[in-house]
């Protein structure tokens, strides 16, 4: 409740919190939220992307397939994780694991935290666009519940590539955007230093996304941001995931998939 | 002014403009009648200049069969977006005036050499063919129409990607259109994607890349990230053929490259292979 008395943060301040080096990353979530985690590697086609990981996980009493972008906690880890910028093999691995989830009737939990899909020449050659596109198409019809949590940065197509689900949750200080504020500022303002203004204009905060009907609910963070009290922040995320999984579990698969279709079909109808 | 707000490429304004067209690639002067006859393909360098969607419809469909659907779906401005050069409301109105279209895609029913299909054609002249919520809605409704009528769906893309002015709502159109495509495929219906110059960003990373067949025009720019962004990332110059249709086919993501004049016959042929 202390939060209520705090000064309202600007969009640009929230961007800084979303990108904070000490903000809990997927490794922290797995350690604090999962009683068990078996990482599953590789896309069976090309390689094993260290920027997008996944596997079997137990959250509370729920066995799930967990996937998510990976940022590191140190420079070495961040280099290995490519700062959370996934390549086509990462998106294809995610699809492979989601197919397993469907086969074993396990729900999918997807943790989003990426500046964007990796804009490298090899990623282009290996079909970054195709890999993301196929995930969008596949996730729209996946025959198992999918809960998405935007934990930090929701960077454009690279985020969306694992973010089509039945429930889209977002942390209070996460952002989710079609383009980075810096990118938007340099294109539409011809001046990268206008990023704070672009951040405001693009409406990328959880509050705005809830208003726009893009997300379903906001998960509160400890005062000052998730990095101030990671255990408390992760506990809130865990609680929210379990609540959504319990509700989605009551739906028949046909209803689940039709409701997911209608949810996305309604986006952008005003 | 952003790259996608540039006015459509027009031949140089020289006194002979009434008689001559100029290839935007090699600057060759081509007699207007010859240029039109070649469907804006340069006889010298084979450059496939951009078509507007009326020209594309004329090129691909049987005469008199195209009937527009979803014309009432137009531009939304969910963010009330304004940047250094003005409001999105004004820019989108200007695009509507300039192109005579309500959105960056034209959707309709038509016949291609006698096969009935649902056709969507994007127009780069409308804000760079960007994917706004009206664009996404038109495509979704067209896909649903294909399912209802039990017809194949064909989308001809020409787009720089998502429409920044609609922010996250634009991004969501990628998921929305792909969900609709998935329904078309689930109904056992063919979906053919035709990629023309350019097909990049959020459009290549959604419906344009998931065709049963992905078909491209020669030398069309096809890719996810922009060349400059990639060069800055890898700190190297990229080869000239990077992200061309030929490059994309060599890497396994395009089934066939088809010259413009042969596209209609090609589509008719594959429609018959698919049982339509």
């Amino acid at each position: 409740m202390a939060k209520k008395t705090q000064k309202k943060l600007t969009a640009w301040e929230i961007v800084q919190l979303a990108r904070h080096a000490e903000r809990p990353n997927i490794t922290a979530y797995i350690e604090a939220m999962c009683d068990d985690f078996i990482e599953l590697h590789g896309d069976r086609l090309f390689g094993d992307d260290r920027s997008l990981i996944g596997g079997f996980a137990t959250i509370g009493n729920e066995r799930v397939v967990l996937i998510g972008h990976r940022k590191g906690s140190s420079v070495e880890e961040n280099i290995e994780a490519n700062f959370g910028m996934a390549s086509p093999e990462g998106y294809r691995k995610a699809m492979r694991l989601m197919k397993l989830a469907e086969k074993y009737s396990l729900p999918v939990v997807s943790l989003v935290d990426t500046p964007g899909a990796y804009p490298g020449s090899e990623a282009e050659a290996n079909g970054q666009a195709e890999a993301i596109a196929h995930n969008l198409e596949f996730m729209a019809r996946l025959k198992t519940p999918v809960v998405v949590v935007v934990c930090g940065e929701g960077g454009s197509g690279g985020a969306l590539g694992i973010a089509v689900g039945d429930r889209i949750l977002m942390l209070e200080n996460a952002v989710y955007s079609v383009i980075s504020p810096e990118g938007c500022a340099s294109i539409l303002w011809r001046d990268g230093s206008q990023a704070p203004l672009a951040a405001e204009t693009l409406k990328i905060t959880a509050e705005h996304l809830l208003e726009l009907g893009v997300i379903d609910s906001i998960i509160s963070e400890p005062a000052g941001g998730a990095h101030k009290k990671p255990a408390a922040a992760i506990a809130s995320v865990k609680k929210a995931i379990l609540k959504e999984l319990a509700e989605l579990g009551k739906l028949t698969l046909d209803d689940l998939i039709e409701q997911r279709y209608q949810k996305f079909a309604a986006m952008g109808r005003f | 002014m952003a790259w996608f707000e540039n006015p459509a490429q027009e031949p140089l304004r020289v006194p002979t403009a009434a008689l001559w067209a100029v290839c935007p690639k090699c600057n060759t002067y081509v007699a207007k009648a010859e240029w039109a006859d070649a469907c804006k393909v340069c006889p010298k360098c084979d450059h496939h200049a951009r078509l507007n969607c009326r020209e594309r419809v004329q090129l691909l469909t049987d005469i008199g069969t195209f009937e527009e659907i979803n014309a009432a779906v137009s531009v939304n401005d969910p963010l009330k977006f304004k940047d250094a050069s003005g409001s999105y409301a004004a820019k989108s109105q200007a695009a509507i005036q300039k192109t005579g279209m309500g959105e960056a895609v034209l959707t309709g029913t038509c016949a291609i050499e006698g096969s009935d299909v649902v056709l969507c054609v994007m127009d780069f002249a409308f804000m760079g063919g960007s994917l706004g919520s009206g664009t996404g809605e038109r495509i979704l409704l067209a896909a649903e129409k294909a399912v209802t009528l039990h017809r194949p769906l064909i989308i001809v893309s020409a787009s720089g990607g998502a429409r920044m002015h609609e922010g996250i709502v634009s991004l969501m159109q990628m998921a929305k259109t792909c969900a609709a495509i998935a329904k078309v495929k689930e109904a056992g219906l063919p979906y053919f994607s035709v990629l023309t110059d350019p097909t990049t960003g959020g459009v290549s990373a959604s419906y344009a890349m998931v065709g049963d067949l992905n078909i491209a025009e020669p030398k069309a720019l096809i890719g996810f990230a922009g060349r400059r962004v990639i060069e800055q990332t890898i700190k190297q110059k990229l080869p000239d053929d990077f992200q061309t249709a030929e490059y994309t086919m060599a890497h396994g993501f395009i089934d066939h490259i088809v010259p413009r004049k042969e596209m209609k016959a090609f589509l008719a042929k594959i429609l018959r292979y698919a049982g339509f």
Side-chain angles (χ1 to χ4, degrees):
Chain A
M1 286 302 104
K3 236 178 339 213
K4 297 265 183 241
T5 60
Q6 276 179 24
K7 177 174 141 284
K8 203 168 148 50
L9 298 173
T10 65
W12 187 239
E13 285 167 336
I14 292 174
V15 169
Q16 306 315 312
L17 285 177
R19 293 175 180 170
H20 199 286
E22 287 158 30
R23 192 170 177 84
N25 57 16
I26 193 167
T27 315
Y29 276 97
I30 290 169
E31 271 171 20
M33 188 169 79
C34 304
D35 298 319
D36 185 44
F37 180 68
I38 302 172
E39 186 171 359
L40 303 171
H41 294 268
D43 67 349
R44 297 294 188 274
L45 299 161
F46 178 77
D48 182 40
D49 192 351
R50 303 310 299 144
S51 328
L52 209 173
I53 63 169
F56 293 131
T58 306
I59 304 173
N61 290 321
E62 295 275 356
R63 289 193 185 87
V64 306
V65 163
L66 180 85
I67 54 174
H69 303 101
R70 172 171 170 254
K71 288 181 180 174
S73 311
S74 62
V75 175
E76 294 75 23
E77 271 182 25
N78 258 321
I79 289 168
E80 190 201 40
N82 201 21
F83 299 86
M85 293 183 285
S87 291
E89 54 270 28
Y91 294 101
R92 294 186 182 121
K93 172 169 67 178
M95 184 188 282
R96 183 174 78 84
L97 301 188
M98 288 187 277
K99 282 183 178 163
L100 279 182
E102 187 176 80
K103 180 172 177 183
Y104 300 153
S105 301
L106 298 171
V108 172
V109 173
S110 176
L111 305 182
V112 173
D113 187 12
T114 179
Y118 185 55
S121 53
E122 209 174 61
E124 288 289 326
N126 291 334
Q128 188 73 283
E130 186 271 349
I132 292 172
H134 265 114
N135 278 18
L136 303 184
E137 189 187 21
F138 179 73
M139 291 182 88
R141 309 304 282 171
L142 191 70
K143 294 183 193 68
T144 195
V146 181
V147 175
V148 176
V149 187
V150 184
C151 298
E153 285 182 276
S156 197
L160 186 64
I162 59 165
V164 178
D166 304 296
R167 293 285 188 275
I168 321 290
L169 315 179
M170 193 163 162
L171 269 77
E172 188 183 346
N173 297 314
V175 291
Y176 194 3
S177 180
V178 67
I179 185 168
S180 70
E182 291 90 341
C184 181
S186 72
I187 297 172
L188 293 186
W189 277 265
R190 303 246 149 182
D191 177 3
S193 72
Q194 294 296 321
L197 177 58
E200 206 68 55
T201 312
L202 280 169
K203 297 199 165 71
I204 61 180
T205 63
E207 204 181 354
H208 280 131
L209 265 63
L210 189 65
E211 269 170 36
L212 289 166
V214 171
I215 61 166
D216 297 287
S217 66
I218 300 173
I219 303 170
S220 302
E221 292 186 28
H227 65 286
K228 295 282 188 188
K229 287 184 180 163
I234 296 171
S236 307
V237 171
K238 178 179 176 179
K239 197 174 146 200
I241 291 171
L242 289 173
K243 176 174 165 267
E244 300 299 349
L245 287 178
E247 281 179 17
L248 292 171
K250 292 177 196 155
L251 297 173
T252 65
L253 279 181
D254 285 347
D255 286 349
L256 184 80
I257 292 163
E258 184 54 24
Q259 284 179 21
R260 190 187 304 150
Y261 182 84
Q262 294 305 339
K263 174 186 181 65
F264 281 89
M267 287 189 193
R269 260 180 209 154
F270 299 96
Chain B
M1 199 165 65
W3 58 270
F4 49 76
E5 289 159 8
N6 287 328
Q9 286 164 326
E10 283 175 36
L12 292 176
R13 294 203 179 280
V14 291
T16 50
L19 289 173
W20 300 93
V22 181
C23 171
K25 183 89 178 174
C26 71
N27 295 324
T28 296
Y29 279 69
V30 184
K32 271 219 167 143
E34 191 190 347
W35 183 245
D37 201 41
C39 308
K40 297 190 178 174
V41 176
C42 177
K44 189 172 170 213
C45 73
D46 195 41
H47 176 67
H48 284 52
R50 286 169 191 157
L51 296 183
N52 67 40
C53 59
R54 304 280 166 191
E55 292 165 330
R56 183 76 63 181
V57 164
Q58 201 180 6
L59 179 78
L60 296 179
T61 63
D62 296 348
I63 295 169
T65 61
F66 185 83
E67 284 178 33
E68 185 175 2
I69 55 173
N70 312 317
V73 177
S74 193
V75 173
N76 299 303
D77 183 12
L79 309 187
K80 308 282 171 251
F81 195 93
K82 225 187 258 171
D83 63 36
S85 62
S87 72
Y88 171 45
K91 285 178 198 177
S92 55
Q93 270 311 311
I96 290 169
Q97 294 297 323
K98 183 177 90 173
T99 60
M101 296 175 64
E103 250 299 347
V105 68
L106 176 69
T107 55
T109 56
C110 64
I112 296 177
E113 293 191 5
S115 298
D116 291 329
V117 303
V118 173
L119 178 69
C120 306
V121 177
M122 300 192 76
D123 197 327
F124 192 80
F126 193 104
M127 299 197 77
S130 55
L131 177 58
S133 55
T135 329
E137 177 75 0
R138 282 188 176 192
I139 289 172
L140 175 121
L141 293 174
E144 289 181 346
K145 189 82 167 178
V147 174
T148 313
L149 298 175
H150 200 74
R151 287 184 183 190
L153 175 70
I154 298 174
I155 304 181
V156 183
S157 293
S159 171
R163 191 176 298 163
M164 254 181 290
H165 313 71
E166 293 190 26
I168 192 75
V169 178
S170 165
L171 187 72
M172 292 303 130
Q173 302 312 306
M174 294 167 62
K176 170 171 171 166
T177 51
C178 281
I181 300 289
K183 271 204 171 180
V184 171
K185 292 187 185 174
E186 235 172 54
L189 296 165
Y191 163 50
F192 301 138
S193 172
V194 179
L195 298 89
T196 72
D197 185 61
T199 299
T200 59
V203 167
S204 72
S206 62
Y207 51 85
M209 266 295 165
V210 295
D212 293 346
L213 272 70
N214 296 332
I215 305 147
E217 282 198 331
K219 300 195 184 76
L221 172 69
I222 298 168
F224 178 64
R227 171 183 280 265
R228 250 180 310 161
V229 174
I230 300 169
E231 286 182 338
Q232 280 163 14
T233 304
I234 63 170
K235 301 189 172 54
Q236 281 171 34
K237 286 290 280 179
L238 292 161
D240 284 346
D241 74 335
F242 186 70
Q243 292 182 327
T244 56
E246 292 73 13
Y247 170 98
T248 311
M249 185 164 83
H251 285 87
F253 299 100
I254 296 290
D255 287 280
H256 214 86
I257 293 172
V258 182
R260 185 169 288 169
K261 277 214 138 178
E262 296 163 27
M263 188 64 84
K264 181 181 181 183
F266 183 85
L267 290 173
K269 217 184 227 187
I270 59 173
L271 280 165
R272 282 191 283 277
Y273 274 107
F276 286 83

